[in-house]
Amino acid sequence: MTFNLPATDRRLWALAWPLMLTNLTVPLLGLVDTAVLGHLESPEFLGAVAVGANLFSILYWTFGFMRMGTTGLAAQAWGKRDNFSQVALLLRSILLATGIGLLLILFHQPLIQTGLSLMNPSDNVTELAAEYAGIRIWSAPAVLCQYTLVGWLIGTQFPRGPMIMLIAANGLNIVLDILFVTVLGWNSRGVAIATVIAEYGAAAIGFLIVLRRMPEGQGLTRALFGKLEDYLRILRVNRYIMVRTIALLLVLAFFTAQGARQGDTILAANAVLITFLLLISNALDGFANAAEALIGEAIGKGSRRRFRVVFRSALRWSLWGALLLTIVFVAGGHWLIALLTGIEEVRATAWRYLPWLWLLPFAAVWGFLLDGIFIGATRTRDMQNTMLFSALAVFAPVWWLTTGWGNHGLWFALISLMVARALSMGWLCWSHTRNDRWFQSQ
């Protein structure tokens, strides 16, 4: 029980549990998507959503700095108790997110066509995925505004805000999934429509929460909107997160594309297992997100002692989380796969590659935690460089050397990427600590 924990652990859990619950609703949505489509007569619908959703992961999370960058900057402003900077950052980031979202809608056709051609699924899956993507793109402004709102709420240490907005919206999405797919028979198109409606619902709830959280005494003034240079500065500060995110998502897109080249059954089986990877990521990210806020606050206050205490607490609880997830997947992996798909061929194929899932929690936990530390410290250039190293110098060569292993080689390359991130980021973390660089201006 939390009242027996040290003060820092209690603060970490106070932030982590709402964020963890919030994050778990994201893969829960993916689980429902997979379950409602996995019990249809053909794996093509599941494959189409896997391809389409992966495409939008790349498209949207290319601008994931709208969440991550906002969290680090908001946390440091919170640590300094700078109300003007908190509100100005939020307003400018929302305007930037809306503008980028509208541009994505304007240019969506070539973006979708290029993405699908690179993934190269079968003709039937391509047609269904294009229909799915043509609907999903209309949620772009809402999604990017959500990133900003969630980042700001985490940075200002109000984790219940993201919990409320995302659980409510994802609950709506799940209900609409079942209605549109199971009842009305709209298949992958129904999943897309449900997602668009829910994304705008989440953004609306987020705006209402943020309006109630505005710092007292800080009115809406012209100075808050800033000048063009202020918006360009936000983009410059976060360009490293953008490159890092593109590299990571291209790896995942490559993973999906290589699975598609091995047939629709492998594609569908990998989609089931990748859903569990998202579950791992979003569960462990609860501690990483809490660390972002507390590390940023410590740096804003200039407290090295607080930084060390937060780091140790987040590391300890992240490792316990990884152990728990490993036990769950080892003990219940077969049952979980059977729960998600009733197609016997997809089940048998996913079971064959299940041991790779057992390795994922401890391979991935280090990178997730260190992402939180580096985001809170706004050490985004380090995040970019370690990801590029891991993708280009480790993942790509390992995949090429193991192409003869088929899908096993693909999973081995993905595990290798995670281990490379852990080692490279861990080395930089040790170096920054030893040379007292965390608190130096960048």
Side-chain angles (χ1 to χ4, degrees), residues 133-415:
I135 298 169
R136 274 288 307 273
I137 192 63
W138 290 95
S139 66
V143 171
L144 298 187
C145 283
Q146 279 185 68
Y147 291 166
T148 293
L149 295 168
V150 169
W152 189 85
L153 288 168
I154 293 173
T156 56
Q157 300 190 18
F158 188 68
R160 284 179 295 172
M163 180 180 69
I164 293 168
M165 61 186 281
L166 294 183
I167 288 179
N170 287 332
L172 173 62
N173 202 340
I174 289 169
V175 171
L176 293 177
D177 259 358
I178 295 171
L179 173 64
F180 293 161
V181 178
T182 306
V183 178
L184 299 179
W186 292 356
N187 300 325
S188 50
R189 181 184 61 201
V191 171
I193 295 172
T195 302
V196 171
I197 294 172
E199 297 290 12
Y200 278 97
I205 294 171
F207 278 115
L208 292 175
I209 293 171
V210 163
L211 287 175
R212 297 173 63 89
R213 289 282 299 170
M214 285 293 100
E216 293 183 6
Q218 180 58 61
L220 185 64
T221 64
R222 184 180 180 84
L224 289 173
F225 289 88
K227 302 177 181 178
L228 177 61
E229 178 60 27
D230 296 314
Y231 296 88
L232 294 177
R233 186 179 299 115
I234 293 175
L235 292 174
R236 285 197 299 268
V237 167
N238 292 287
R239 67 188 182 275
Y240 300 120
I241 298 180
M242 180 183 289
V243 174
R244 170 259 183 199
T245 304
I246 291 173
L248 174 60
L249 293 174
L250 284 176
V251 166
L252 295 177
F254 181 84
F255 183 93
T256 299
Q258 291 303 311
R261 289 188 172 93
Q262 298 179 58
D264 290 343
T265 301
I266 289 288
L267 173 64
N270 282 351
V272 171
L273 295 176
I274 282 293
T275 300
F276 294 120
L277 172 60
L278 295 177
L279 178 67
I280 294 169
S281 169
N282 285 285
L284 296 178
D285 267 350
F287 297 117
N289 295 154
E292 293 172 17
L294 295 177
I295 288 291
E297 180 188 33
I299 290 177
K301 291 182 175 179
S303 175
R304 289 165 175 78
R305 176 184 173 280
R306 173 58 53 188
F307 183 99
R308 291 192 299 270
V309 172
V310 169
F311 179 87
R312 291 168 185 166
S313 177
L315 174 62
R316 181 169 59 253
W317 287 108
S318 294
L319 292 177
W320 278 115
L323 177 61
L324 177 62
L325 286 167
T326 300
I327 293 172
V328 168
F329 291 134
V330 171
H334 283 79
W335 176 79
L336 290 170
I337 289 171
L339 184 67
L340 291 187
T341 178
I343 303 172
E344 189 58 39
E345 186 179 8
V346 175
R347 280 186 182 182
T349 303
W351 287 339
R352 191 184 316 150
Y353 300 105
L354 180 61
W356 293 111
L357 182 64
W358 300 344
L359 300 177
L360 282 177
F362 274 103
V365 63
W366 310 95
F368 295 152
L369 172 63
L370 291 170
D371 275 346
I373 302 300
F374 282 71
I375 287 169
T378 60
R379 289 276 172 179
T380 55
R381 185 173 185 176
D382 293 336
M383 295 172 64
Q384 169 198 270
N385 293 342
T386 53
M387 177 56 71
L388 290 176
F389 164 77
S390 301
L392 298 176
V394 178
F395 175 82
V398 168
W399 167 78
W400 185 78
L401 291 171
T402 60
T403 51
W405 297 3
N407 202 43
H408 283 295
L410 197 56
W411 278 98
F412 180 65
L414 187 63
I415 294 288

Side-chain angles (χ1 to χ4, degrees), residues 400-440:
W400 185 78
L401 291 171
T402 60
T403 51
W405 297 3
N407 202 43
H408 283 295
L410 197 56
W411 278 98
F412 180 65
L414 187 63
I415 294 288
S416 299
L417 171 85
M418 295 175 180
V419 173
R421 288 190 68 221
L423 293 175
S424 56
M425 293 183 77
W427 181 83
L428 281 177
C429 183
W430 173 81
S431 176
H432 290 336
T433 302
R434 183 183 182 188
N435 297 288
D436 195 30
R437 286 196 293 263
W438 289 114
F439 290 79
Q440 295 175 9

